Amino acid sequence: MTSQESLPHLIEILNQKYEQVKLGGGKKKIEAQHQKGKLTARERIDYLIDPGSHFLEIGAFVGDGMYEEEGGCPSGGVVTGIGYVSGKQCMIVANDATVKAGAWFPIAAKKNLRAQEIAMENRLPVIYLVDSAGVFLPMQAEVFADKEHFGRIFRNNAQMSAMGIVQISAIMGACVAGGAYLPIMSDEAFIVEGTGSVFLAGPYLVKSSIGEDIDAESLGGAAMHCEISGVTDNKFPDDKSCLDAIKRHIDKIGKPQSAGFDRKTTQAPSRKPEEIYNLLPTDRLKPYDVLPILECIVDNSELDEYKPDYGKTLICAYARVDGWAVGIVANQRKMVRSGKGEMQMGGVIYAEAADKAARFIMNCNQKKIPLVFFHDVTGFMVGSRAEQGGIIKDGAKMVNAVANSVVPKFTFIIGNSYGAGNYAMCGKAYDPRLIFAWPTAQMAVMSGATAARTLLQVQTATLKAKGQTITPEAEKELLSQITDRYNQELSPYYAAARLWVDGIIDPVATRRIISAGITAADQAPIEKPFNVGVIQV
């Protein structure tokens, strides 16, 4: 982050990019939807959710900068997120027909699977608003046959139904080929007259395959499927009447069970959340105290620290967020003095800090307290003294505790998230219920500067091995090229485009997202006992 890129400036860029994403395929495509009498995906969601409620979008920046040769795929061509419908939290999945007619790109399949994963973990009803031309054929090899490809969506449909998770589909546009199974494998399927259609093969394919001439409405329109085939349950004259019916059905769903997480009356933080803008330094190498930042997020700005005088490069604390009890694990970015009187670098996990965090995570599991992680970590301490002190062993203990944790975990990447530090702090590979990045986030194996110097040494050695000489000027140019490429991959937008995180947020939204996440998680009772397995002590 340069001196000009203050946090408010980065948030301004975030808001501008989000406004562009919301246009989907562009204003002309939106107008074309309206001319057909159809609402856009985002308009359907706005109409569906309860007035005044907030839609927690998942994957808004999916596809950012990807598929440029195919014309781009804003938001992966599908809008997903958690919203309140008739007073109940639901996962909503809406194809965006303004983006390649809602066709499924590889990242679209990954995004849909992420939405289903969140619904399954939290036992949320799922509402599919279907308007898709099916698989994007030029990239079918990246969408079709593998375990995490398109077919997994239908497998999840079946498993969610068996789990008792309600799924309701509205066929509001095209629904073709394999994509036809998604709404029909839902528990209930509605269809909009005139615009909705569902069939395994469209009129052109039917003509070429068996020589039959038939129009789309007769082949798979609302009247045929509601009156003859019985494939769909009810038909509606327009989008809004169909969405109204979904609201009525969701309204009648019984109350979910409770996981029993503790909640008291909410209290606003004593520190204003906007103070974060000044507390997080613009220079990402500059040390800072993470405690005041946490005080801008938790109720009454109160934190009960666990082992505050031990393992100081990690903050472990009990607190409340919007009334919910939470256990917080956060990297401390200021220099601290260890119990042995040695100065320790902020943002680095030392052996005693890893040991402390592992114990704290175990305690939170025992007490049934959800965990919240805040990343600004450059990794574990390295060097002979750290290795002799057993840093690998203590780091493994922390990773073990995170991996086997059964309480819900929520992750926020607020700065660096490098190497094994990402794993220990509950990165995407460790199943956080939700994972979001602040605009200041960076994710990689190591920092850009360190990686660039390492890669330069490797490339220079390779050239010399071939008998080539490299001048200082050429070496400088090569370093610049490596640094530019690596820094691009460090961007939070690069991570969000690939669903390494669920989105990029204004830090002020952190408190609301934690509360929404725990509210959802409280609907899924914990069924698995906490067991950390074998730990080298």
Side-chain angles (χ1 to χ4, degrees):
M1 197 162 55
T2 68
S3 58
Q4 288 76 34
E5 291 179 319
S6 64
L7 186 48
H9 176 64
L10 292 175
I11 292 167
E12 182 180 349
I13 294 172
L14 169 65
N15 291 335
Q16 290 172 355
K17 287 179 71 71
Y18 184 52
E19 288 302 315
Q20 185 62 39
V21 159
K22 288 196 293 186
L23 293 175
K27 293 181 179 179
K28 289 184 178 179
K29 294 291 180 68
I30 291 173
E31 182 57 33
Q33 282 280 98
H34 292 164
Q35 289 176 357
K36 295 176 183 177
K38 298 164 64 176
L39 300 174
T40 65
R42 292 184 182 276
E43 289 169 343
R44 287 165 178 164
I45 291 172
D46 287 343
Y47 185 83
L48 181 65
I49 63 175
D50 295 346
S53 66
H54 180 80
F55 179 64
L56 176 53
E57 186 164 356
I58 305 295
F61 294 105
V62 159
D64 182 66
M66 300 171 67
Y67 312 118
E68 292 182 353
E69 291 184 3
E70 288 79 20
C73 187
S75 229
V78 58
V79 184
T80 62
I82 300 171
Y84 279 90
V85 178
S86 299
K88 298 178 176 68
Q89 275 187 322
C90 298
M91 173 58 71
I92 303 171
V93 179
N95 297 116
D96 186 350
T98 71
V99 179
K100 302 292 184 182
W104 291 86
F105 281 68
I107 199 65
K110 184 176 182 179
K111 183 173 178 179
N112 199 114
L113 290 172
R114 174 60 177 153
Q116 290 182 321
E117 178 183 44
I118 293 171
M120 293 168 81
E121 287 178 330
N122 298 291
R123 303 294 193 272
L124 297 178
V126 185
I127 300 169
Y128 302 102
L129 307 180
V130 186
D131 195 344
S132 171
V135 168
F136 184 65
L137 289 178
M139 304 188 77
Q140 66 85 25
E142 299 177 54
V143 185
F144 172 63
D146 210 345
K147 180 179 178 180
E148 302 301 330
H149 283 176
F150 195 54
R152 188 79 170 184
I153 296 170
F154 314 138
R155 174 263 193 191
N156 287 350
N157 285 143
Q159 291 213 334
M160 282 191 284
S161 185
M163 292 167 65
I165 298 173
V166 174
Q167 299 171 86
I168 299 177
S169 285
I171 300 163
M172 313 185 88
C175 188
V176 184
Y181 284 105
L182 184 146
I184 309 310
M185 291 190 72
S186 299
D187 302 306
E188 295 186 79
F190 303 151
I191 188 168
V192 177
E193 295 176 293
T195 56
S197 60
V198 54
F199 31 63
L200 294 181
Y204 293 115
L205 183 54
V206 168
K207 174 66 175 177
S208 64
S209 298
I210 63 174
E212 180 183 3
D213 283 308
I214 189 167
D215 62 85
E217 190 66 25
S218 301
L219 182 64
M224 194 285 289
H225 279 309
C226 284
E227 299 171 16
I228 300 174
S229 73
V231 166
T232 52
D233 302 317
N234 210 337
K235 60 182 186 291
F236 300 91
D238 52 38
D239 282 7
K240 289 185 176 180
S241 60
C242 185
L243 295 170
D244 285 334
I246 292 174
K247 295 178 188 181
R248 294 192 298 271
H249 277 67
I250 296 294
D251 180 58
K252 296 175 178 64
I253 295 175
K255 291 182 179 180
Q257 292 179 288
S258 173
F261 304 129
D262 188 69
R263 191 178 198 183
K264 305 296 184 188
T265 303
T266 183
Q267 297 183 57
S270 298
R271 303 187 74 132
K272 293 182 179 179
E274 291 79 8
E275 288 185 49
I276 293 173
Y277 301 153
N278 297 319
L279 292 169
L280 193 63
T282 56
D283 182 354
R284 66 185 310 108
L285 298 178
K286 184 178 179 181
Y288 64 90
D289 189 350
V290 75
L291 278 171
I293 290 176
L294 299 178
E295 289 170 356
C296 295
I297 296 169
V298 304
D299 287 14
N300 208 31
S301 299
E302 292 179 348
L303 294 129
D304 291 318
E305 279 197 70
Y306 174 78
K307 293 183 179 289
D309 299 319
Y310 179 73
K312 295 180 183 178
T313 61
L314 274 176
I315 300 295
C316 297
Y318 300 105
R320 289 189 182 275
V321 175
D322 196 25
W324 290 107
V326 297
I328 292 174
V329 181
N331 300 111
Q332 177 58 282
R333 277 304 308 268
K334 69 178 183 179
M335 296 286 287
V336 297
R337 189 176 298 277
S338 74
K340 299 176 182 178
E342 301 165 340
M343 293 304 296
Q344 295 182 335
M345 293 183 292
V348 178
I349 302 176
Y350 288 76
E352 59 267 34
D355 176 68
K356 176 174 84 170
R359 292 169 183 266
F360 179 72
I361 290 165
M362 294 177 196
N363 284 348
C364 286
N365 274 271
Q366 185 186 50
K367 297 173 182 177
K368 204 153 67 172
I369 298 175
L371 287 158
V372 184
F373 295 82
F374 290 91
H375 291 216
D376 196 345
V377 58
T378 54
F380 286 90
M381 189 58 191
V382 297
S384 60
R385 290 186 63 186
E387 298 293 357
Q388 292 166 12
I391 184 64
I392 295 176
K393 177 181 66 178
D394 289 311
K397 285 160 62 176
M398 182 177 175
V399 170
N400 192 317
V402 172
N404 285 297
S405 180
V406 296
V407 295
K409 297 168 291 192
F410 303 90
T411 299
F412 296 88
I413 301 174
I414 69 175
N416 304 322
S417 186
Y418 298 153
N422 172 278
Y423 304 154
M425 293 295 292
C426 195
K428 184 67 179 293
Y430 289 78
D431 299 321
R433 295 290 178 98
L434 296 172
I435 176 170
F436 282 89
W438 290 4
T440 44
Q442 289 191 347
M443 280 150 280
V445 171
M446 61 186 73
S447 71
T450 302
R453 288 194 297 269
T454 303
L455 290 169
L456 177 64
Q457 292 177 42
V458 172
Q459 293 195 23
T460 301
T462 301
L463 290 172
K464 288 180 178 178
K466 294 178 179 178
Q468 300 178 26
T469 58
I470 180 167
T471 65
E473 292 77 14
E475 187 174 289
K476 183 178 180 181
E477 176 62 24
L478 183 57
L479 178 63
S480 177
Q481 292 175 1
I482 294 171
T483 302
D484 289 345
R485 184 180 73 248
Y486 202 87
N487 283 340
Q488 181 183 3
E489 295 176 0
L490 282 170
S491 164
Y493 294 98
Y494 190 90
R498 290 154 182 80
L499 261 181
W500 300 348
V501 295
D502 292 321
I504 305 169
I505 59 166
D506 184 332
V508 170
T510 303
R511 178 177 161 86
R512 172 173 48 76
I513 290 172
I514 294 171
S515 178
I518 300 177
T519 300
D522 194 47
Q523 300 183 63
I526 297 173
E527 299 172 350
K528 179 183 175 182
F530 178 62
N531 188 337
V532 294
V534 175
I535 296 182
Q536 299 268 359
V537 294

